Every structure is written in structure tokens, then in C-alpha cells.
Amino acid sequence: MTPMKDRSQIRRLAENLKIPVTEAILQSFKNISRRERRNFTLFAACPNSEAVLKAALVAAKRANAPIKFAATLNQVDLDGGYTKWSQERFVQRAFEFAQMVGYEGPVIIALDHGGPYLKDLHRIENWPFERAMAAVKESLSACLLAGYDLLHIDTTVDPAFRGKASVPMEIVVNRTVELIKHVEYVRAERQLPPISYEVGTEEVGGGMTEPEDFKRFLELLKEQLLKHKLPDVWPCFIVGRVGTDLHTTTFYPNIAMKLAEIAATYGSAIKGHYTNYVANLEAYPASGVGGANVGPEFSDAEYSGLINLVEMEEKLASEGKVTNLSNLNHILKNAVVASRRWEKWRRGDELGRSFDELSSERQSWLIRTGCRYIWTEDRVAEARRKLYQNLMRSGVEAEKLVAEKITKVMMKYFRAFNLIDSLPKIESELLSRQM
């Protein structure tokens, strides 16, 4: 398998310098920050649908900025995930869409949360640890061979420690190094260029909830990498618990700044996850956060765009212009409920209750959040096609309206993270290093 890569000038310059493209961009941002007296945060989109993948590339072109995709094993894996993309297919689609929309910047492909039990199937089927770990190694190999640029290694989840505060930090570090060692072995065997790593988690797991614990984790990681003869391997991103998760939108700049300062002493940047609906986005670069992942908000935008179209369709039906409704809104709800994925987000007072017994507000949230899992189901895809066709007959460019809704949401991140027109600056910085 020959890994696909974009042909951007920034990637070529990074290759000339023998630096992974992610680290070349982060190093460039650091140097530019000194001159401009402002920081940059690399924006990463979770490619939870084809519409989101396309919209991100359109937004990156509009922003004239780099784009990073962070795909989970639930989304993209050897079994196709819920997007129906293997690692190889995902990379292929990303570069096909980049060419389609005319985006010429670097397309950074990354794995998000690569570790045992972070793929729902591992937990649903109660896989033993050895099986889960072996499957993750196989997935990591597939990512590497497909041409991923960065791998997030996250070993903070293990059902065997359920009921305890967290998986002990020493175990988290040992398992992290085991997975990195596996990747490096495959990389050396296939004579592939160096890639970048991200470690840690924003979750409570692993004990990394306080700055001192965070620092201790990095010390242990450094010791173990040296012990396993991996002195040249070090993560460019350390995930920090900065306040946000799936259920909260509060970002704490002071905490982020402390973690960023600690990470910087080790040559790494802090990464924030679940950066959805955060009000003070400008505080991310101001606090020194080097990267941020966003996902569910784009599913919400896609869902909202489609529901707007359903309302349009119903209005046209009332005027006699549509005779066969798509019923997409009902089909979406039924598909989310049938998937049972929504059950993992039940709150304590919702345990044992059916979906229809929940409040309308909670049902709406669960559908918006869970719809990313069922976009590719045949009945959903067919209803979506019917909706688009019904509207097209009345001159409505339905697909473009949905894409633009997602793109507009993404643009706020490019603006808040100081990324607008950053490509020429990165190119200039990398060119200066080659003179």
C-alpha cells in the first residue's frame, strides 16, 4: 500500500526538512507568534460524515489555512466504522475532496483516541483486554500504512478498573509506550517517514486532572520511552483537561495556560478536545493551546440544515408542489433509537427508561448528537436523496445549503484561532529554514 499525501508546498517543505507536517506547522506557528505577538491554535475537525469532510475543506480554502482531520476508530476503521470508510478509503476521500474544491494547503490526517475500549464495539461485546489491545495495534498499523500524519494514543479506559477513580497512571503510561513501540516497529519495517504523536485524554481517567499529575505523567512517559529505546519519539500534542467535554462548554483559560506552560517545557503543545459550542474560543490561542478538536457541533449543524430542508419540503407539500414526502426527520429519529448508541449518554435519572419516556428536550439532544452514527444507513441515505430531489424540482440547491451551514460554523474556529491567511506565513517560515 502506497500512502496517499497531498502535494501542498507546506508538506513538501516539511519533507525537505525531514519533519512531520504537523510538527512543521506547530514550529512555524511558534516562530510567527514571537513576531506577531499572538498565538495560533490548529483546528481539527472530526470527519463524522461526508458532508462534514467536504465542508471542512471548503472552509480551509476560504480561510487560506491548514486543516486537520481527527478520526476516531468508531468513525473510521478496518471494519468501515459508522462512516463506512476504512483508513485507506478515508485518506483517499479526503484528498479527492480537496482536489474537488480546489484546496491546495496541507491536509493533515490524524487518529483520535486510539486505544483499547475507545471503540464502542470493544465495550458492547465485553472484549478481554488482550483482544482489544491486539485490535488497536492492527488499527494503528492500518492508519500508518494509509498515510496518517498523527496518532493519538489514549490508553486511559479499561472496564476492569470500573468503580475506581481511574486507570493507574503507571499502567496508562506503560500501555501508551507499548502502542507507540508497535507503531515504530511497523514504521521501521516498512521504511516509512516519522509521524507525530498525541497522548493523554481530557477525561478524568489516568489521573491527569491536576498540573502536578500532568507533569508526573510526562516524566513517566519520558522515562519509559527512553527505557524502550525510543529516544527520538515524543508527542507534539498532550491532551489537557481544560474544562470541556461532551456535556460542558466551559473552557478554563487559567488551567489551560498552566498546562500549556508545563507541556512547553517538554517541547509539546497542549490540545483541547470537545471544543464544541465554547463561547470564549479566542481564549484558546491566548492561553497557549496549540490545537483543538471539534466534532458533535458539526453533526448538529448538518442535522439542523436537514431539518430546515424538511420544513421547506413540508411547505412545498402544502402548496401541492411535493406529493411524496421524504419523512427524513422521522426516519432519523427511528434510526438513532434503533442504533441504541444513544444509551451511552443516558443520565442517572434516565437509566431503565425508554427513549420515548425521556423529555422532548433530551430526545432532541440525543438525536442531534447521535445522528452522526446513522448518516450512512440505507434508509437514511435514501430519505436524504428523496428530500434533495423534492427540493431540487422547486429550484432549491439543498445539498449546497447544508454544506454552507456546516462551513459557516467551521469558519468561526478559523477566525477565533487566528488561522485566517496563515498558509503563506507558514510557507514563508519553512522556506526561511531551508536557506
Side-chain angles (χ1 to χ4, degrees), residues 30 228 364:
K30 190 181 296 184
H228 288 271
S364 175

Side-chain angles (χ1 to χ4, degrees), residues 4 43 46 132 134 176 201 240 257 259 272 296 299:
M4 293 185 67
F43 164 58
C46 264
T176 297
T201 179
M257 194 174 297
L259 297 181
S299 286

Side-chain angles (χ1 to χ4, degrees), residues 337-356:
V337 174
S339 74
R340 301 190 65 179
R341 298 266 195 164
W342 62 275
E343 293 177 1
K344 68 179 180 179
W345 296 312
R346 274 178 169 153
R347 298 187 302 211
D349 61 339
E350 296 170 346
L351 295 176
R353 297 167 66 188
S354 69
F355 189 88
D356 288 331

Side-chain angles (χ1 to χ4, degrees), residues 28-40:
S28 296
F29 279 158
K30 190 181 296 184
N31 293 334
I32 298 165
S33 294
R34 293 192 188 102
R35 293 194 298 272
E36 296 191 359
R37 297 183 181 278
R38 63 171 183 162
N39 297 326
F40 302 84

